[in-house]
Amino acid sequence: MFKPLLKLLFLLLFFGIAISAEAQKTDSLKVDTNLLNKYRIEPGKNALPFRFRPIQIKEELVPVNLLDYKVSYWHKNVLFGLNFSQSAFSNNYSAGGVNAIALGSNFDYKLEYNKSPRDFTSELNLIYGISKNKGQGSRKTNDRIFFDNKLATQLSKHWFFYGSLTFESQFDKGFNYSNADGTEAQNPYLISNFMSPGYLTESLGFEYKPTKYFDLRFGTGTARQTFVLDTTIYHNQPSNYGVPIGHTIYNELAVQVVAAIDKDLSKNIHINARYALFIPYIQPFVYMSHRVDATLTAKVSRLIAVTMNGTFLYDKHTSNAVQGTEGLALGVVYKFP
């Protein structure tokens, strides 16, 4: 009874193994996916309509209130200084002394126009000082008029071609209070006056300006007129400032070199200096003239400043020796802006 049952189970087991082997053989076959993609059924298109709306960019002008700013190529500086000193002594003061009062003033005005390639500069410098000692009367301590105008056109980054016109003279009469040996003269005599001398200089040449505060001029074509309009100084000034006796004007051609610096050395210290070299064409080199004018200003406060100025001059038309003057003062200085 069990034999037929065992045979049946054995046949069922054999049949199951055969079916399993056939299934594994079918799964191990490689499938070409490209063929599947070839015969893939694509879904149908959307039947609903789809509308494209183009984007439009439109320029809109927005009103803007512009700032009321204007570009100015003009620059100006004004400096005014006033110095005052006074001393008084009683008649019985044991150390002695002389009552004295002194007043000094200076005015500097500078106007500039800078718009490439043009450059214009106008500078006016006025200095006057007077003192009065008891028993001596009033005496001049400083006196100068200087007016310089320059127009230049730019040739390169640092080089300009320029033309300038310069005027120099003094306000008041000048007297000599010393004798030849240095002693005080009993009768001071007149040696200068307004436009006696006076100088008018026209110059053409090239200017080198590496920075805003320094410039160097080479005036290869320079003409200068020297004026002595007060003929009463003839007998007191043998050279007559180079003007022949009997004449009031003398013309000469020369080469002129001018170097100028106008710079803040620090927050409260400022220097303004000018050197002028004048070499006449038709006269010996001993008649070349040198002049240095320098002013150093140190501000103590907004309106109070110490000012030191000096002049060095060598000109054989006025003296065979070197001339110089120096002044130191504490006073009020106003600068705009």
Side-chain angles (χ1 to χ4, degrees):
M1 180 177 180
F2 290 100
K3 289 182 178 180
L5 183 60
L6 291 174
K7 290 181 179 180
L8 180 61
L9 292 174
F10 180 77
L11 289 174
L12 291 173
L13 180 61
F14 179 78
F15 182 73
I17 292 172
I19 293 174
S20 175
E22 184 66 23
Q24 291 180 1
K25 183 178 180 181
T26 304
D27 292 339
S28 62
L29 292 175
K30 294 182 180 180
V31 179
D32 190 349
T33 57
N34 291 327
L35 295 176
L36 293 176
N37 293 332
K38 181 178 179 181
Y39 297 104
R40 184 176 58 186
I41 299 174
E42 296 289 342
K45 293 184 179 181
N46 191 359
L48 297 176
F50 187 81
R51 298 178 62 186
F52 291 94
R53 179 173 295 177
I55 299 176
Q56 295 182 353
I57 300 177
K58 184 179 180 182
E59 181 180 3
E60 292 288 343
L61 298 178
V62 179
V64 178
N65 295 326
L66 298 178
L67 298 176
D68 189 18
Y69 288 155
K70 295 181 180 180
V71 177
S72 177
Y73 299 98
W74 293 93
H75 309 279
K76 65 179 179 179
N77 290 289
V78 179
L79 187 146
F80 175 75
L82 186 64
N83 307 307
F84 176 79
S85 65
Q86 180 267 341
S87 60
F89 304 86
S90 64
N91 293 331
N92 61 343
Y93 189 68
S94 59
V98 177
N99 296 344
I101 185 172
L103 181 66
S105 62
N106 66 286
F107 177 81
D108 294 325
Y109 179 81
K110 189 173 184 179
L111 178 67
E112 292 184 272
Y113 175 82
N114 304 107
K115 184 179 180 181
S116 181
R118 301 289 183 265
D119 181 89
F120 172 74
T121 304
S122 180
E123 184 175 0
L124 176 64
N125 178 234
L126 308 176
I127 302 175
Y128 189 78
I130 191 170
S131 67
K132 180 177 175 57
N133 296 337
K134 184 179 180 180
Q136 293 183 338
S138 60
R139 296 186 177 184
K140 193 168 59 172
T141 57
N142 215 337
D143 191 1
R144 190 187 188 209
I145 302 174
F146 176 80
F147 187 37
D148 180 63
N149 299 274
K150 180 197 66 178
L151 178 63
T153 182
Q154 192 168 12
L155 300 177
S156 64
K157 184 177 181 180
H158 299 304
W159 285 95
F160 295 78
F161 178 77
Y162 81 92
S164 67
L165 178 66
T166 306
F167 172 74
E168 297 179 75
S169 189
Q170 62 190 53
F171 288 101
D172 202 0
K173 295 179 179 180
F175 294 87
N176 192 336
Y177 298 95
S178 302
N179 296 315
D181 57 359
T183 60
E184 186 174 355
Q186 295 296 325
N187 298 310
Y189 51 92
L190 182 69
I191 59 173
S192 63
N193 203 347
F194 175 71
M195 291 300 289
S196 300
Y199 303 96
L200 188 64
T201 306
E202 305 88 22
S203 182
L204 291 173
F206 299 93
E207 179 185 34
Y208 176 64
K209 195 170 185 178
T211 62
K212 292 183 179 180
Y213 58 82
F214 175 79
D215 64 87
L216 181 64
R217 304 183 200 175
F218 299 93
T220 54
T222 302
R224 184 172 73 176
Q225 296 81 46
T226 303
F227 299 89
V228 177
L229 304 184
D230 189 349
T231 58
T232 62
I233 69 173
Y234 283 172
H235 61 285
N236 297 326
Q237 188 61 251
S239 63
N240 201 40
Y241 300 101
V243 179
I245 300 297
H247 296 77
T248 58
I249 185 173
Y250 175 67
N251 290 283
E252 54 187 331
L253 298 176
V255 174
Q256 186 183 49
V257 179
V258 176
I261 183 172
D262 190 357
K263 177 178 173 56
D264 288 325
L265 299 180
S266 65
K267 183 179 179 180
N268 296 323
I269 300 178
H270 181 83
I271 186 172
N272 188 334
R274 186 177 189 270
Y275 166 71
L277 170 66
F278 191 83
I279 308 174
Y281 278 127
I282 61 175
Q283 291 183 333
F285 278 111
V286 293
Y287 284 96
M288 72 172 62
S289 64
H290 305 264
R291 181 177 180 122
V292 178
D293 294 281
T295 301
L296 185 68
T297 304
K299 296 188 67 175
V300 179
S301 65
R302 184 178 179 182
L303 293 177
I304 305 299
V306 176
T307 303
M308 183 172 65
N309 57 68
T311 299
F312 166 89
L313 174 63
Y314 176 74
D315 186 356
K316 285 185 68 66
H317 290 308
T318 58
S319 176
N320 291 324
V322 174
Q323 306 171 60
T325 179
E326 175 271 334
L328 179 65
L330 173 66
V332 177
V333 173
Y334 177 76
K335 184 177 181 180
F336 175 83

